[in-house]
Amino acid sequence: MSDRAYSLFEEQQRARGIDLSQVKEQLKAFQIETPSWGYGDSGTRFKVFQKTGVPRTPYEKLDDAAEVHRLTGLCPSVAIHIPWDKVDDYGKLRSHAESQGLKIGAVNPNLFQDDDYMLGSVTNTDPAIRRKATDHLIECVDIAKETGSRDISLWFADGTNYPGQGDIRKRKAWLHEALSELYKALTPDMRMLIEYKFFEPAFYHTDLADWGMAYNYARKLGPQAEVLVDTGHHAPGTNVEHIVAYLIDEGKLGGFHFNSRKYADDDLIVGTTNPYELFLIFYQILSAARDDDAAIRSTVSNIAYMIDQSHNIEQKIPAMIRSVLNAQTQFAKALLINHEEIAEAQEKHDVLGAEDAVRRAFEFDVTPLLHAFREEQGLPVNPMKAYLSSSYGKDILARGKGGASW
Amino acid sequence: MSDRAYSLFEEQQRARGIDLSQVKEQLKAFQIETPSWGYGDSGTRFKVFQKTGVPRTPYEKLDDAAEVHRLTGLCPSVAIHIPWDKVDDYGKLRSHAESQGLKIGAVNPNLFQDDDYMLGSVTNTDPAIRRKATDHLIECVDIAKETGSRDISLWFADGTNYPGQGDIRKRKAWLHEALSELYKALTPDMRMLIEYKFFEPAFYHTDLADWGMAYNYARKLGPQAEVLVDTGHHAPGTNVEHIVAYLIDEGKLGGFHFNSRKYADDDLIVGTTNPYELFLIFYQILSAARDDDAAIRSTVSNIAYMIDQSHNIEQKIPAMIRSVLNAQTQFAKALLINHEEIAEAQEKHDVLGAEDAVRRAFEFDVTPLLHAFREEQGLPVNPMKAYLSSSYGKDILARGKGGASW
Amino acid sequence: MSDRAYSLFEEQQRARGIDLSQVKEQLKAFQIETPSWGYGDSGTRFKVFQKTGVPRTPYEKLDDAAEVHRLTGLCPSVAIHIPWDKVDDYGKLRSHAESQGLKIGAVNPNLFQDDDYMLGSVTNTDPAIRRKATDHLIECVDIAKETGSRDISLWFADGTNYPGQGDIRKRKAWLHEALSELYKALTPDMRMLIEYKFFEPAFYHTDLADWGMAYNYARKLGPQAEVLVDTGHHAPGTNVEHIVAYLIDEGKLGGFHFNSRKYADDDLIVGTTNPYELFLIFYQILSAARDDDAAIRSTVSNIAYMIDQSHNIEQKIPAMIRSVLNAQTQFAKALLINHEEIAEAQEKHDVLGAEDAVRRAFEFDVTPLLHAFREEQGLPVNPMKAYLSSSYGKDILARGKGGASW
Amino acid sequence: MSDRAYSLFEEQQRARGIDLSQVKEQLKAFQIETPSWGYGDSGTRFKVFQKTGVPRTPYEKLDDAAEVHRLTGLCPSVAIHIPWDKVDDYGKLRSHAESQGLKIGAVNPNLFQDDDYMLGSVTNTDPAIRRKATDHLIECVDIAKETGSRDISLWFADGTNYPGQGDIRKRKAWLHEALSELYKALTPDMRMLIEYKFFEPAFYHTDLADWGMAYNYARKLGPQAEVLVDTGHHAPGTNVEHIVAYLIDEGKLGGFHFNSRKYADDDLIVGTTNPYELFLIFYQILSAARDDDAAIRSTVSNIAYMIDQSHNIEQKIPAMIRSVLNAQTQFAKALLINHEEIAEAQEKHDVLGAEDAVRRAFEFDVTPLLHAFREEQGLPVNPMKAYLSSSYGKDILARGKGGASW
């Protein structure tokens, strides 16, 4: 049935002007970084449910990430979080990764779990705390050198809960100071990715509250600074794909943290709440990938796709497999968009035709395509089934409970 | 200055038809219950900052609550949370409270911190877990008998994170089953207060998601079941005072959990984000308090005002003092509303006049009134100042860090 | 290609335990009412763009609706709006409809475009205005008798813009009075459908603000009163399918007004913003349709599916075709859900398995199924193409501009 | 009573370190521009209620604005909207204004009510439409020269309703083109103020959706381009005062459109929904006004405060009086903030003290201050009362109904 399905699909797409061999080339190039902390226990402020089999060390997190990559072929790199993934010897950590076909991806400083940072890290009124926070940022560059990481991924939990608690403009300047110092510490091949967040854990004002603020820092700092879009970090009703298109156009989209949300920063599995939104994000990216301007194309090709989720009720590894498969599915659908058809409809002021051209691609079932693609890549056709029928999930139970939390 | 301020204020209000002696009577009757867990460490999912001096036992929580009551005269009762406030001898806990002029208020079951409840407590597919959860509810009635509490205050964290995860209608029936069993266990003078929440910790669907669901359960159960409105538990843009007026009109408003939010359930100090909203809630309550219908008036007079906040960066006791003072301030302002003036403007279709009549009351500075009132009650004129200059805050530092968290 | 596609699809579904002959039976029974006002000019507060060819009379609106039904087979009834569709002889209007294979559907009173209603219609402080408004409601029942309509569809724009402008509880009572009078006027086979709306055109408080208020009126009135869910009328983040499941469970879901929104009540074509949400609504409906309880099944089978949109930039007829096709597409996908699989996963606490079972159905491309179904029904395989290549759209241009607006 | 009230207030403020003579200086400098369209009929998409006495011509709009200024002393300038305020001789319009002590304020182009602009004005795919739209912008500069206006105030309704309808990045470039051309047409003393809007009338994507996009255009264009913040144009939960502080810090806050909203762009009277938010905006402005940096102070002193509301149920002139009084009230309260006290609390990490210092100023009743100030300025102590007891409101009824709508 699977062969017939694929040849029918191919025929169908050819008739629409879509060449599946090119589609597969782009699928091959599509990679998603998984986060080390996505393999540990996390949860809500009400409760963290501890799961049996959760990795106890950064090394075991890499093992789990390698398993996800083996099954999906999608995840050759792993983001780390410092100090959660602090080890004595980062060279050893890197070797451990490489021995399993992985590399260490983005290095994520942590500036929100030290008592000193209660009222701000790099935006604290206390210069000693700002110093400590900035030093930690620079420490992460040093780690990145050892792990061979390209990206320093920055999320600041800094903000205030009450009017008056902080001086908004002073904090803005302090944040700039810290970022500037970090920027200077980067090696020429490194990037810093600046993440913004609408709210939480600060509830009145967040120092880096939206893409505009992140973009403006990145712009002032220089070409190695770019913006990181976390799909969950927006106000209700925000058009995320618009922001994505905007940042690409300015040459400042550095990467994504993928996850889903219905209300706030829910950190659910990407693609489970509004899969169409994810598809529309890829539509903007793929549209830009066809631009005449090489700078735009270069920005697109350097986008770092990363997962950032909090699996509080799910099994960690299957949740990660599902996440990357969902992203791949929507990416594959977006590859079926006929951009000429849309452009023509736009030109003719054919609103319904243009809308249809986009939505049509979303409605295809890309299962035949993905099955064929995986087969060609020597991957399990159904990575989730393959995982569930493997012994990996049972073997790790021996780790017991109480492994590493983020 | 203070005397002149008060007599000027009195004169001013008399000219508007407001009799301050009546206002003071209503101020005297206004009480706010503080929650035992508001004195412990709490925070966000990212970090709980541990404070020095936090109470180590339920007894010490009562001590802190008593201090707040001594200074403000506003908080003669304390809500408890089971098992956070589990003790061997609830009679002893009650005596400890009474010895300080307090009584034990609402008993709050906890159905969200046991591993069994990960996928639902009373709505779990597993009948044994539902049984365990319902038994805990009934245990709380037993505790309430011992503590002399009138209200069982119910918040269910139950819900799902993904479509399909649970059968929405089955869960609805199971929740009803548990509530019915609890209802039967109540003594005739007890009430159950059903709280709803828009989202969190469940992110796709919350079994008790809004006032309509809470109300419908309360209605089906009988007169001893009422709705608890947590001011932070609503969708953005919701008119909370409308819901308050609606529930009073149906005889089903049992009480409040007060706090402030700007985005989601931020659990900030009540009255710090949009004080006008709090005032408008009191406006609806005080308008209903004047109703010809005795049943409406009775509903109003039985409303339980309670604080439910999460002080993650604030000192606990001052945060609680600020909270109850803020509520008192807005209540006092609402007492200055001239309801006849509003009714007249409404009758004449005078939109701007009606709006002005409401807002005008809000704009008065009630400091002279509250100072005079407190003096008459033998209370410190400025409770916050009194606390900060007392030795209580220093003395409790001896408790050290690592006290009870919620 | 189409035949091969269908047989492959059938095979695929059979393997999953889905019998397409049953699916087709349900597709046959699926009908969507289109609104007469959806064929006229409408827009935003900033501008109504007048289109050439818009119907000039209620009769021409029916002609357009008949064309949509001819092409899609989905829309055998047309909702009317009084006074927009006021005619001297409703018997003649009905005959005109019937001559084209249509019937007149829900009758919609209009209580928001008369100067008298500026500060409320049935909730106005002026009893004469309330009388006038209630009389109009009853007039609609008389019209419904003549047109053979079953449903009176009620949307009240009533509300206030400022605190104090209206007495919330008095208005609640007045609304109840009017609804009661209307209820008594219904013939035994009629229903009244009570629609709620989160906001707009009133901005401070809406008398019928949410499902809970609509439900409570319907409950008090009796079995002929039910709730109408307009998909766009909710706060950001609201789980609409939860409300749908809830109302079905209470036997009170009377119907839908379908449309899409990204922010507020955007009135866009249904299924264009978050098609998964529409699918999940159908999932809840189809899940309830399998209930053991005949009352639940009866509620489901009496749900009135209606479009309510404002096509301000689109061509009216194609916009309507697209709308009903989108609804049919998501309904067809929902028919592919394997409910046993979900139930089993729920029972086993398999969160990811349950989610997958739901999402899998959504990911199928139902084009082969719908093409086969339409062919069997003697309908154009692609109704939109059929319309665009027909002469209807050109012929109506002769009507000129300035036709009926809503 | 009033004298005693003022001297008590003065004493009270002196004790806090606030010098009322300086406060009054700042009150004197505070001016709010009213919009010509705020005197005409406007409403919602459902209905525009026509009021008797609404001005029939731009000249009569100026008359009404002059009346508001006579009574409040706050509104010496009037924004105009082209073509709503198109006249043959702008010199005559200007003289008419000046003869009443007014000047013509910002010129507002209208790019949303011409049929050509249905799918975009300066972002239309059709170059002829873009040309027409840009020409209109430049026409407004010519008008501004004649009226002596400093500011061109730009709001673009441009956006799309559906994915695919427009090419987001192309539209971005076209908008930049038009703005650049307009920028070049400005005289050296003119400014262009770029307004952004979260949504409406476009519902899927708005070309100028947030402050970040408006800021980025302004930055690229040069020093004469700045951002206009409309308080109603933000996503739910947005911290508007943060954006205000941010833009001031970048030297790019050009002005405000004041109004209130509870849900979306409700265009209610400013200060009626959340007066604290308005106060907090002024707090940020006044904090920046004390900056050591002269550039920051210069930005602050050039902020254009303007009303932009839609009075659909209110009497127009009283609604405008209420609006400017509300703004003045919150401004006056913000002038009572003791900035040193806040800075000290921030330095000491005293969260509650800092919050209290801000909120305390808000809680003062500034009536005595404003009464005294108005008396000193030779203004009616209560401008609303003065208006209602004057004959102006009755006299204009002779204009009849059907005057100018916006």
Side-chain angles (χ1 to χ4, degrees), chain A residues 45-47 49 113 115 161-162 165 198 200 203-204 263 265-269 272 313-314 401, chain B residues 45-47 113 115 161-162 165 198 200 203-204 263 265-269 272 313-314 401:
Chain A
R45 60 177 170 143
F46 295 102
K47 169 76 175 169
F49 295 99
Q113 289 190 321
D115 283 347
N161 275 358
Y162 298 104
Q165 179 189 322
F198 186 54
E200 195 209 19
F203 297 118
Y204 169 65
Y263 310 90
D265 182 28
D266 302 342
D267 268 338
L268 302 176
I269 290 176
T272 56
I313 60 170
E314 309 93 326
K401 265 200 191 191
Chain B
R45 61 176 167 142
F46 295 102
K47 167 78 174 169
Q113 289 190 322
D115 284 347
N161 274 359
Y162 297 104
Q165 181 189 325
F198 185 55
E200 197 210 18
F203 297 118
Y204 169 66
Y263 310 91
D265 182 29
D266 303 341
D267 268 337
L268 302 176
I269 291 177
T272 56
I313 60 169
E314 308 93 327
K401 266 203 189 187

Side-chain angles (χ1 to χ4, degrees), chain B residues 227-238:
Chain B
V227 178
L228 180 66
V229 174
D230 182 297
T231 45
H233 291 188
H234 299 88
T238 301

Side-chain angles (χ1 to χ4, degrees), chain D residues 127-332:
Chain D
I129 296 176
R130 297 203 298 274
R131 183 70 261 148
K132 172 176 165 176
T134 309
D135 286 346
H136 175 58
L137 294 177
I138 290 165
E139 176 197 2
C140 286
V141 174
D142 293 334
I143 293 171
K145 288 175 193 164
E146 295 184 59
T147 54
S149 300
R150 178 186 58 165
D151 294 337
I152 309 294
S153 189
L154 300 167
W155 173 56
F156 296 93
D158 290 31
T160 60
N161 275 359
Y162 298 104
Q165 180 189 323
D167 183 310
I168 290 176
R169 293 184 307 112
K170 270 191 199 158
R171 293 172 70 107
K172 175 172 179 279
W174 288 328
L175 183 47
H176 191 228
E177 246 174 65
L179 291 174
S180 300
E181 204 176 323
L182 172 62
Y183 192 85
K184 282 184 205 119
L186 297 177
T187 62
D189 53 325
M190 281 186 185
R191 305 191 305 175
M192 55 191 277
L193 304 183
I194 306 173
E195 190 172 347
Y196 57 91
K197 191 173 185 187
F198 185 54
F199 89 110
E200 196 210 19
F203 297 118
Y204 169 65
H205 116 281
T206 299
D207 288 294
L208 258 166
D210 59 26
W211 77 266
M213 297 179 192
Y215 162 75
N216 207 28
Y217 282 121
R219 186 185 63 74
K220 290 180 181 176
L221 290 167
Q224 288 174 255
E226 299 196 68
V227 178
L228 180 66
V229 174
D230 182 297
T231 46
H233 291 190
H234 300 87
T238 301
N239 186 321
V240 179
E241 58 267 30
H242 184 188
I243 294 171
V244 166
Y246 197 99
L247 286 170
I248 292 174
D249 205 60
E250 296 288 337
K252 283 296 189 190
L253 181 65
F256 283 94
H257 272 179
F258 280 142
N259 51 62
S260 271
R261 55 127 198 185
K262 190 164 178 66
Y263 308 92
D265 181 30
D266 302 342
D267 268 338
L268 302 175
I269 290 176
V270 60
T272 56
T273 303
N274 182 350
Y276 197 40
E277 185 186 63
L278 182 57
F279 166 88
L280 292 173
I281 287 172
F282 286 128
Y283 159 41
Q284 290 303 329
I285 292 169
L286 292 171
S287 167
R290 299 160 42 91
D291 206 283
D292 291 337
D293 183 341
I296 297 283
R297 294 200 309 275
S298 160
T299 296
V300 168
S301 65
N302 281 298
I303 294 172
Y305 300 104
M306 301 179 271
I307 300 290
D308 184 11
Q309 296 170 179
S310 165
H311 306 130
N312 51 327
I313 60 170
E314 308 93 326
Q315 291 296 325
K316 314 301 172 193
I317 295 173
M320 201 60 88
I321 293 172
R322 168 57 54 223
S323 304
V324 299
L325 294 183
N326 280 4
Q328 187 186 40
T329 295
Q330 298 309 327
F331 183 72

